[in-house]
Amino acid sequence: MNRIVLIFVLLIACFSFAQEDDKEKTKALRESTNLTWNANKALSEDKFVEAEVNYRKAIAKSDENAVAPFNLGNSYYQKETYGEAFSRFKQAGELAKDKASKHKAFHNMGNVFMKRKEYEKAVESYKEALRNDPTDEETRYNLALAKEMLKKQQDEQKNDKNDENKDNKDNKDKKDENKDKDKKDGDDGEKDKDKDQDKKDQGDEGDKGDEEKEDNKEGDGDEKKEEQKKPEEGDQKQQQPRPNQLSKQQIQNLLKAMQNEEKKVQEKIDAQKVKGAKVKNEKDW
C-alpha cells in the first residue's frame, strides 16, 4: 500500500514538473514571438541592425520559434548575404513543426542556390519543398527553371571540356607539327650541309684539278722552255770545237805561251853572252 502511494506521489510530481516545464517553454516562446514582432517592425522601418538584434534574441530565447530564423534569413537574402540567409533558412526548416513551414524553408533554400548558380542543389531543395506542399505552383515553376538552368550549365561544362580537350589536342598536334617541322628542318639542314660539303669537295677537286692543270701548264711551259733552251744548247754544242780542234782563245793562249817561252829563251841567250865577256880592269879616268 505504501508503495502504491509513493508511485502516485511521484506521478503527481512529474506531472507538475512537466506542467512547469511547459509553462516555461510557453513563456519563452511567447517572449521569442514578441521579439520577432519587434524585429519585423524594425525591419519594416528600414532599421536592419535593430531587426537583426531582435531576431537573434528571439532565436536564443526559444528553440520552437521557426519564424524568427526564417524572417532573419529573408532579411539577409534582401541584403544579398546569401551565406547567412541559407544558414537561417536551414535552421528554420529544422525547427519547423508543420509541413507548411518546412515547405517555405526549403523553397527559400532553393532560391539561395539559384542565386549562387548551384542549380543541382536548387533542384533538390525545390523537390523537398514540393514534398511538403505539392500544390505550390511557384515552387513547381522554380523547379522547372532550375532543371533547365542545370541542363544548360551541364551542356556548357561539357562544351568547355570538349573545347579544352580540343585545345589540348590542337596544342598537341601543333607541338607534334613543330616537332616534325624541326626534325624536317634538321634533316634539310643536314642535307644542305651534305650538299655544301659535296660542293666544297667538288670545289676542292675543281681547285685541285685547276692546280693540276696549272701545274701541267707550268710543266708544259717548263718543258717548252727546256725545249727552247735545247736548240740553243745544241747551237752552243755546234759552236764548241771538236776535241781535235782548238778554239780561237786556245790558239791565242798557245801563241802567247809560245811567245813567253821564246822570250825566256832569248833572255837566257843574252844572259850567257853577258857572262862570257871580259871585264875591264882599267878605269876610264
Side-chain angles (χ1 to χ4, degrees):
M1 185 66 181
N2 291 334
R3 184 177 295 176
I4 294 173
V5 173
L6 181 59
I7 292 172
F8 182 74
V9 172
L10 289 173
L11 288 173
I12 293 173
C14 288
F15 180 74
S16 299
F17 180 78
Q19 283 184 332
E20 288 295 327
D21 186 54
D22 288 341
K23 285 181 182 180
E24 289 294 330
K25 286 184 179 181
T26 302
K27 182 182 177 182
L29 180 59
R30 185 169 57 250
E31 291 177 357
S32 178
T33 302
N34 291 334
L35 289 168
T36 301
W37 188 87
N38 292 333
N40 292 342
K41 184 175 181 295
L43 193 62
S44 65
E45 294 173 355
D46 221 8
K47 298 175 181 178
F48 176 77
V49 176
E50 183 180 342
E52 183 182 23
V53 170
N54 285 323
Y55 283 135
R56 288 181 179 274
K57 286 181 179 180
I59 293 168
K61 182 64 71 172
S62 174
D63 57 1
E64 293 183 356
N65 183 3
V67 176
F70 181 82
N71 288 0
L72 181 58
N74 282 337
S75 64
Y76 283 135
Y77 186 88
Q78 295 299 325
K79 293 289 185 180
E80 298 183 355
T81 311
Y82 298 121
E84 291 289 340
F86 176 79
S87 297
R88 294 305 175 177
F89 290 142
K90 186 174 182 292
Q91 185 179 22
E94 292 171 350
L95 295 176
K97 303 297 182 182
D98 57 274
K99 288 188 174 184
S101 298
K102 286 183 178 293
H103 164 262
K104 285 193 241 180
F106 282 105
H107 178 93
N108 283 12
M109 279 192 279
N111 290 345
V112 171
F113 286 130
M114 289 292 285
K115 289 292 185 180
R116 289 178 169 181
K117 296 183 179 181
E118 298 178 15
Y119 302 119
E120 187 172 0
K121 292 180 179 180
V123 168
E124 295 303 320
S125 294
Y126 289 135
K127 283 182 178 181
E128 189 63 30
L130 286 173
R131 290 188 187 100
N132 288 279
D133 185 5
T135 64
D136 193 306
E137 293 299 326
E138 184 180 352
T139 303
R140 195 176 301 279
Y141 172 81
N142 286 4
L143 175 60
L145 179 61
K147 286 181 177 179
E148 184 64 26
M149 296 301 292
L150 176 60
K151 184 177 182 301
K152 184 178 179 181
Q153 186 182 59
Q154 289 173 342
D155 291 341
E156 288 177 354
Q157 290 175 350
K158 186 177 180 180
N159 291 334
D160 291 341
K161 188 174 181 180
N162 290 336
D163 291 340
E164 184 179 356
N165 292 335
K166 184 179 179 181
D167 291 339
N168 292 335
K169 186 176 182 300
D170 292 340
N171 291 333
K172 185 176 181 298
D173 293 341
K174 189 174 181 180
K175 197 173 185 180
D176 293 339
E177 183 180 350
N178 291 335
K179 188 176 180 181
D180 293 339
K181 185 177 179 182
D182 293 339
K183 184 178 179 182
K184 183 179 179 182
D185 292 340
D187 293 339
D188 292 340
E190 290 295 329
K191 290 180 180 178
D192 293 338
K193 188 177 179 181
D194 293 339
K195 288 182 179 178
D196 293 338
Q197 187 62 36
D198 293 339
K199 288 181 179 180
K200 185 178 179 182
D201 294 340
Q202 291 176 359
D204 293 340
E205 290 179 358
D207 294 339
K208 185 176 180 182
D210 293 339
E211 291 177 357
E212 291 178 353
K213 289 180 179 179
E214 188 67 26
D215 292 339
N216 292 333
K217 185 176 180 182
E218 291 177 358
D220 294 340
D222 294 338
E223 290 179 358
K224 288 181 180 180
K225 288 180 181 179
E226 292 294 332
E227 290 177 356
Q228 290 176 355
K229 289 179 180 181
K230 285 179 180 179
E232 295 177 357
E233 292 177 356
D235 294 340
Q236 290 177 359
K237 288 180 180 180
Q238 289 177 0
Q239 293 175 0
Q240 289 179 358
R242 289 189 294 271
N244 296 327
Q245 185 179 359
L246 296 176
S247 65
K248 183 178 179 181
Q249 184 67 35
Q250 289 176 338
I251 294 172
Q252 291 178 352
N253 292 336
L254 183 60
L255 291 175
K256 188 175 181 179
M258 291 174 64
Q259 291 175 355
N260 290 333
E261 188 66 26
E262 192 175 316
K263 184 177 180 181
K264 287 179 180 180
V265 172
Q266 186 63 40
E267 287 178 353
K268 187 176 181 180
I269 295 171
D270 293 338
Q272 290 177 354
K273 287 180 178 181
V274 171
K275 186 178 179 181
K278 295 179 179 179
V279 177
K280 290 180 180 180
N281 294 323
E282 295 89 359
K283 296 183 181 180
D284 288 334
W285 61 79

